Short mmCIF file of all heavy atoms in Angstrom, two decimals:
data_model
loop_
_atom_site.label_atom_id
_atom_site.label_comp_id
_atom_site.label_asym_id
_atom_site.label_seq_id
_atom_site.Cartn_x
_atom_site.Cartn_y
_atom_site.Cartn_z
N ALA C 1 0.83 -1.21 0.00
CA ALA C 1 0.00 0.00 0.00
C ALA C 1 0.86 1.26 0.00
O ALA C 1 0.56 2.23 -0.71
CB ALA C 1 -0.93 -0.01 1.21
N VAL C 2 1.93 1.25 0.77
CA VAL C 2 2.83 2.42 0.82
C VAL C 2 3.51 2.62 -0.53
O VAL C 2 3.59 3.74 -1.05
CB VAL C 2 3.86 2.25 1.95
CG1 VAL C 2 4.99 3.25 1.81
CG2 VAL C 2 3.18 2.41 3.31
N CYS C 3 4.01 1.55 -1.13
CA CYS C 3 4.67 1.66 -2.45
C CYS C 3 3.69 2.15 -3.51
O CYS C 3 4.04 3.00 -4.34
CB CYS C 3 5.26 0.31 -2.86
SG CYS C 3 6.71 -0.16 -1.90
N ALA C 4 2.46 1.62 -3.49
CA ALA C 4 1.46 2.05 -4.46
C ALA C 4 1.10 3.53 -4.26
O ALA C 4 0.92 4.28 -5.23
CB ALA C 4 0.20 1.18 -4.34
N ALA C 5 1.00 3.96 -3.00
CA ALA C 5 0.69 5.36 -2.71
C ALA C 5 1.80 6.28 -3.22
O ALA C 5 1.54 7.30 -3.86
CB ALA C 5 0.46 5.56 -1.21
N LEU C 6 3.06 5.91 -2.95
CA LEU C 6 4.18 6.73 -3.39
C LEU C 6 4.27 6.77 -4.92
O LEU C 6 4.51 7.82 -5.52
CB LEU C 6 5.49 6.22 -2.79
CG LEU C 6 5.64 6.40 -1.28
CD1 LEU C 6 6.93 5.73 -0.80
CD2 LEU C 6 5.63 7.87 -0.91
N LEU C 7 4.05 5.63 -5.56
CA LEU C 7 4.09 5.58 -7.02
C LEU C 7 2.98 6.45 -7.61
O LEU C 7 3.22 7.20 -8.57
CB LEU C 7 3.95 4.13 -7.49
CG LEU C 7 4.01 3.90 -8.99
CD1 LEU C 7 5.37 4.31 -9.55
CD2 LEU C 7 3.72 2.46 -9.32
N SER C 8 1.79 6.38 -7.04
CA SER C 8 0.66 7.18 -7.54
C SER C 8 0.92 8.67 -7.38
O SER C 8 0.68 9.46 -8.31
CB SER C 8 -0.62 6.79 -6.81
OG SER C 8 -0.92 5.44 -7.00
N VAL C 9 1.42 9.08 -6.22
CA VAL C 9 1.70 10.50 -5.99
C VAL C 9 2.81 10.97 -6.94
O VAL C 9 2.72 12.06 -7.52
CB VAL C 9 2.08 10.76 -4.52
CG1 VAL C 9 2.65 12.15 -4.33
CG2 VAL C 9 0.87 10.55 -3.62
N GLY C 10 3.84 10.16 -7.12
CA GLY C 10 4.91 10.52 -8.04
C GLY C 10 4.42 10.68 -9.48
O GLY C 10 4.79 11.62 -10.17
N MET C 11 3.57 9.76 -9.91
CA MET C 11 3.02 9.85 -11.27
C MET C 11 2.16 11.10 -11.44
O MET C 11 2.24 11.79 -12.46
CB MET C 11 2.19 8.60 -11.58
CG MET C 11 3.00 7.33 -11.68
SD MET C 11 3.79 7.12 -13.26
CE MET C 11 2.42 6.95 -14.35
N LEU C 12 1.33 11.39 -10.45
CA LEU C 12 0.47 12.58 -10.54
C LEU C 12 1.31 13.87 -10.55
O LEU C 12 0.99 14.81 -11.27
CB LEU C 12 -0.54 12.59 -9.39
CG LEU C 12 -1.67 11.58 -9.51
CD1 LEU C 12 -2.50 11.55 -8.23
CD2 LEU C 12 -2.56 11.91 -10.71
N ALA C 13 2.36 13.91 -9.74
CA ALA C 13 3.23 15.09 -9.73
C ALA C 13 3.94 15.24 -11.08
O ALA C 13 4.09 16.36 -11.58
CB ALA C 13 4.24 14.98 -8.60
N TRP C 14 4.36 14.13 -11.66
CA TRP C 14 5.00 14.19 -12.98
C TRP C 14 4.02 14.70 -14.03
O TRP C 14 4.37 15.55 -14.85
CB TRP C 14 5.52 12.80 -13.35
CG TRP C 14 6.20 12.76 -14.68
CD1 TRP C 14 7.48 13.15 -14.98
CD2 TRP C 14 5.63 12.30 -15.91
NE1 TRP C 14 7.73 12.96 -16.31
CE2 TRP C 14 6.62 12.44 -16.90
CE3 TRP C 14 4.38 11.78 -16.25
CZ2 TRP C 14 6.38 12.08 -18.23
CZ3 TRP C 14 4.15 11.42 -17.57
CH2 TRP C 14 5.15 11.57 -18.54
N LEU C 15 2.78 14.19 -14.00
CA LEU C 15 1.76 14.65 -14.93
C LEU C 15 1.46 16.14 -14.75
O LEU C 15 1.28 16.88 -15.73
CB LEU C 15 0.47 13.84 -14.77
CG LEU C 15 0.48 12.45 -15.38
CD1 LEU C 15 -0.77 11.69 -14.97
CD2 LEU C 15 0.59 12.53 -16.89
N MET C 16 1.42 16.56 -13.49
CA MET C 16 1.17 17.97 -13.22
C MET C 16 2.28 18.84 -13.83
O MET C 16 2.00 19.87 -14.46
CB MET C 16 1.08 18.20 -11.72
CG MET C 16 0.90 19.64 -11.31
SD MET C 16 0.85 19.79 -9.52
CE MET C 16 1.95 21.16 -9.30
N GLU C 17 3.52 18.43 -13.65
CA GLU C 17 4.63 19.22 -14.19
C GLU C 17 4.60 19.22 -15.71
O GLU C 17 4.79 20.26 -16.33
CB GLU C 17 5.96 18.65 -13.68
CG GLU C 17 7.14 19.58 -13.87
CD GLU C 17 7.73 19.56 -15.27
OE1 GLU C 17 7.61 18.52 -15.96
OE2 GLU C 17 8.32 20.58 -15.68
N ARG C 18 4.33 18.08 -16.31
CA ARG C 18 4.33 17.99 -17.77
C ARG C 18 3.16 18.74 -18.39
O ARG C 18 3.33 19.47 -19.37
CB ARG C 18 4.24 16.51 -18.20
CG ARG C 18 5.45 15.69 -17.94
CD ARG C 18 6.56 15.99 -18.88
NE ARG C 18 6.16 15.73 -20.24
CZ ARG C 18 6.97 15.27 -21.18
NH1 ARG C 18 8.22 15.00 -20.89
NH2 ARG C 18 6.55 15.10 -22.39
N ALA C 19 1.96 18.56 -17.85
CA ALA C 19 0.76 19.09 -18.50
C ALA C 19 0.40 20.52 -18.07
O ALA C 19 -0.20 21.25 -18.84
CB ALA C 19 -0.42 18.16 -18.23
N LEU C 20 0.77 20.91 -16.85
CA LEU C 20 0.33 22.20 -16.35
C LEU C 20 1.47 23.19 -16.13
O LEU C 20 1.39 24.34 -16.55
CB LEU C 20 -0.43 22.01 -15.03
CG LEU C 20 -1.67 21.12 -15.09
CD1 LEU C 20 -2.25 20.92 -13.70
CD2 LEU C 20 -2.71 21.70 -16.03
N VAL C 21 2.52 22.75 -15.46
CA VAL C 21 3.60 23.68 -15.10
C VAL C 21 4.46 24.03 -16.31
O VAL C 21 4.75 25.20 -16.56
CB VAL C 21 4.46 23.09 -13.96
CG1 VAL C 21 5.67 23.96 -13.69
CG2 VAL C 21 3.63 22.91 -12.71
N ARG C 22 4.87 23.03 -17.06
CA ARG C 22 5.80 23.27 -18.17
C ARG C 22 5.25 24.24 -19.21
O ARG C 22 5.97 25.14 -19.65
CB ARG C 22 6.19 21.94 -18.82
CG ARG C 22 7.30 22.07 -19.83
CD ARG C 22 7.78 20.74 -20.32
NE ARG C 22 8.39 19.98 -19.25
CZ ARG C 22 8.91 18.77 -19.42
NH1 ARG C 22 8.88 18.20 -20.60
NH2 ARG C 22 9.46 18.14 -18.40
N PRO C 23 3.98 24.11 -19.63
CA PRO C 23 3.48 25.08 -20.62
C PRO C 23 3.40 26.51 -20.10
O PRO C 23 3.39 27.45 -20.89
CB PRO C 23 2.07 24.56 -20.95
CG PRO C 23 2.09 23.12 -20.57
CD PRO C 23 3.02 23.03 -19.41
N LEU C 24 3.35 26.68 -18.77
CA LEU C 24 3.22 28.03 -18.21
C LEU C 24 4.53 28.56 -17.63
O LEU C 24 4.53 29.56 -16.91
CB LEU C 24 2.15 28.03 -17.11
CG LEU C 24 0.73 27.68 -17.57
CD1 LEU C 24 -0.20 27.59 -16.38
CD2 LEU C 24 0.24 28.69 -18.59
N ARG C 25 5.64 27.90 -17.93
CA ARG C 25 6.91 28.29 -17.32
C ARG C 25 7.32 29.72 -17.66
O ARG C 25 7.94 30.40 -16.86
CB ARG C 25 8.01 27.32 -17.72
CG ARG C 25 9.30 27.60 -17.00
CD ARG C 25 10.26 26.46 -17.01
NE ARG C 25 9.75 25.22 -16.53
CZ ARG C 25 9.62 24.90 -15.24
NH1 ARG C 25 9.91 25.79 -14.32
NH2 ARG C 25 9.19 23.72 -14.88
N ALA C 26 6.96 30.20 -18.83
CA ALA C 26 7.34 31.56 -19.23
C ALA C 26 6.45 32.62 -18.59
O ALA C 26 6.73 33.80 -18.68
CB ALA C 26 7.28 31.69 -20.75
N ARG C 27 5.39 32.21 -17.94
CA ARG C 27 4.47 33.15 -17.31
C ARG C 27 5.06 33.65 -15.99
O ARG C 27 6.00 33.08 -15.46
CB ARG C 27 3.13 32.48 -17.04
CG ARG C 27 2.45 31.93 -18.26
CD ARG C 27 1.84 33.02 -19.06
NE ARG C 27 1.15 32.50 -20.23
CZ ARG C 27 0.31 33.19 -20.94
NH1 ARG C 27 0.07 34.44 -20.63
NH2 ARG C 27 -0.26 32.67 -21.99
N PRO C 28 4.48 34.71 -15.42
CA PRO C 28 4.96 35.19 -14.12
C PRO C 28 4.82 34.12 -13.03
O PRO C 28 3.98 33.22 -13.13
CB PRO C 28 4.06 36.39 -13.83
CG PRO C 28 3.54 36.82 -15.16
CD PRO C 28 3.46 35.58 -16.00
N ALA C 29 5.64 34.24 -11.99
CA ALA C 29 5.66 33.22 -10.92
C ALA C 29 4.31 33.09 -10.23
O ALA C 29 3.93 32.00 -9.81
CB ALA C 29 6.75 33.56 -9.91
N TRP C 30 3.55 34.20 -10.12
CA TRP C 30 2.28 34.11 -9.42
C TRP C 30 1.28 33.23 -10.16
O TRP C 30 0.40 32.64 -9.55
CB TRP C 30 1.69 35.50 -9.16
CG TRP C 30 1.35 36.28 -10.39
CD1 TRP C 30 2.14 37.17 -11.04
CD2 TRP C 30 0.12 36.25 -11.11
NE1 TRP C 30 1.49 37.70 -12.14
CE2 TRP C 30 0.24 37.14 -12.20
CE3 TRP C 30 -1.07 35.55 -10.95
CZ2 TRP C 30 -0.78 37.35 -13.12
CZ3 TRP C 30 -2.10 35.76 -11.85
CH2 TRP C 30 -1.95 36.65 -12.92
N VAL C 31 1.45 33.10 -11.49
CA VAL C 31 0.56 32.22 -12.26
C VAL C 31 0.79 30.77 -11.85
O VAL C 31 -0.17 30.01 -11.63
CB VAL C 31 0.78 32.41 -13.77
CG1 VAL C 31 -0.01 31.40 -14.58
CG2 VAL C 31 0.42 33.83 -14.19
N LEU C 32 2.06 30.38 -11.72
CA LEU C 32 2.37 29.01 -11.29
C LEU C 32 1.92 28.78 -9.86
O LEU C 32 1.46 27.68 -9.51
CB LEU C 32 3.86 28.74 -11.43
CG LEU C 32 4.38 28.59 -12.86
CD1 LEU C 32 5.89 28.40 -12.85
CD2 LEU C 32 3.71 27.43 -13.55
N THR C 33 2.05 29.78 -9.00
CA THR C 33 1.60 29.64 -7.62
C THR C 33 0.09 29.41 -7.58
O THR C 33 -0.39 28.53 -6.85
CB THR C 33 1.98 30.88 -6.80
OG1 THR C 33 3.40 31.04 -6.84
CG2 THR C 33 1.54 30.73 -5.36
N LEU C 34 -0.65 30.17 -8.35
CA LEU C 34 -2.10 29.96 -8.41
C LEU C 34 -2.45 28.60 -9.01
O LEU C 34 -3.42 27.96 -8.60
CB LEU C 34 -2.77 31.07 -9.21
CG LEU C 34 -2.82 32.44 -8.54
CD1 LEU C 34 -3.48 33.46 -9.45
CD2 LEU C 34 -3.57 32.36 -7.21
N LEU C 35 -1.64 28.15 -9.96
CA LEU C 35 -1.85 26.83 -10.53
C LEU C 35 -1.70 25.74 -9.48
O LEU C 35 -2.51 24.82 -9.40
CB LEU C 35 -0.87 26.59 -11.68
CG LEU C 35 -0.87 25.19 -12.27
CD1 LEU C 35 -2.15 24.95 -13.05
CD2 LEU C 35 0.33 25.01 -13.17
N THR C 36 -0.67 25.87 -8.63
CA THR C 36 -0.50 24.87 -7.58
C THR C 36 -1.64 24.93 -6.57
O THR C 36 -2.04 23.91 -6.01
CB THR C 36 0.85 25.05 -6.85
OG1 THR C 36 0.88 26.30 -6.17
CG2 THR C 36 2.02 24.93 -7.81
N LEU C 37 -2.20 26.12 -6.35
CA LEU C 37 -3.36 26.23 -5.47
C LEU C 37 -4.56 25.52 -6.08
O LEU C 37 -5.31 24.82 -5.37
CB LEU C 37 -3.68 27.71 -5.22
CG LEU C 37 -4.86 28.00 -4.28
CD1 LEU C 37 -4.58 27.44 -2.88
CD2 LEU C 37 -5.13 29.49 -4.22
N ALA C 38 -4.75 25.65 -7.38
CA ALA C 38 -5.85 24.95 -8.05
C ALA C 38 -5.67 23.45 -7.97
O ALA C 38 -6.64 22.70 -7.72
CB ALA C 38 -5.93 25.40 -9.51
#
């Protein structure tokens, strides 16, 4: 259960960086901060 939880969280964080953070990297920092809040 612990390994599955860590793997799932890691995959979701990777997806978040690829799909949400990376396309907005050129935007101001507050945009990324609001994205993490969402």
